[in-house]
Amino acid sequence: GVGMGMTAPVSITAFPAEDGSLQQKVKVSLRIPSPFQDNPPCPSDESIKIEERQGMTIYSTQFGGYAKEADYTSYAAKLKSALGNEAAYRKDFYLCNGYDPPMKPYGRRNEVWFVKE
C-alpha cells in the first residue's frame, strides 16, 4: 500500500539462444529503494519474488537511445567480440539495463553486463 516510485536500473536477465537471439524467457528485476531494503514489503502477486543480488564483477558496455531487443543483442555481440577468448564470464545469460524513464527523450543510458566467473 506504499508507493515506492521507480528505481534504476531496470535490469532484464536475458537468456541467449545459440544464434545470439534472445529466448522468450526473461527475468525483470527492480531495485528496492534504500528505505525499504531492511524490511521489504511482501508482494501481493505470487509471480513477484524478492531476491538478494550478491555482489558481482561485470564486463559492461554502454549505449544511448531507446533500447530495443536488437540493440541489446547487438551490443552483447560487440562486448563478446571485444572480450575475445581471454575473459571468463557467464555465457548462459547476460543483463540488459535501462536507467531512464520512458519520457526522457535525450541522453538515455543503457548497458549490457556480462557477469565475470
Side-chain angles (χ1 to χ4, degrees):
V2 176
M4 290 191 281
M6 193 64 193
T7 62
V10 172
S11 187
I12 299 171
T13 304
F15 302 91
E18 290 293 320
D19 65 358
S21 66
L22 301 184
Q23 297 180 38
Q24 293 301 309
K25 173 177 81 167
V26 297
K27 179 178 172 181
V28 179
S29 302
L30 304 171
R31 185 181 180 281
I32 294 176
S34 297
F36 299 96
Q37 286 196 7
D38 287 339
N39 188 21
C42 293
S44 57
D45 183 326
E46 293 178 5
S47 68
I48 297 173
K49 308 286 186 238
I50 295 178
E51 298 179 350
E52 184 171 339
R53 185 178 280 179
Q54 298 300 316
M56 64 180 105
T57 301
I58 60 164
Y59 298 103
S60 177
T61 189
Q62 182 178 328
F63 61 98
Y66 283 95
K68 298 178 181 65
E69 179 179 331
D71 299 313
Y72 285 117
T73 57
S74 172
Y75 279 90
K78 290 176 185 178
L79 181 57
K80 180 179 178 179
S81 177
L83 292 173
N85 295 326
E86 299 301 312
Y89 59 91
R90 297 284 305 264
K91 310 264 189 313
D92 55 331
F93 72 92
Y94 59 87
L95 299 158
C96 306
N97 301 284
Y99 288 83
D100 303 296
M103 65 289 287
K104 182 179 178 185
Y106 303 106
R108 298 182 64 79
R109 178 179 168 187
N110 309 291
E111 296 176 348
V112 172
W113 295 355
F114 290 170
V115 178
K116 183 177 179 182
E117 289 188 320

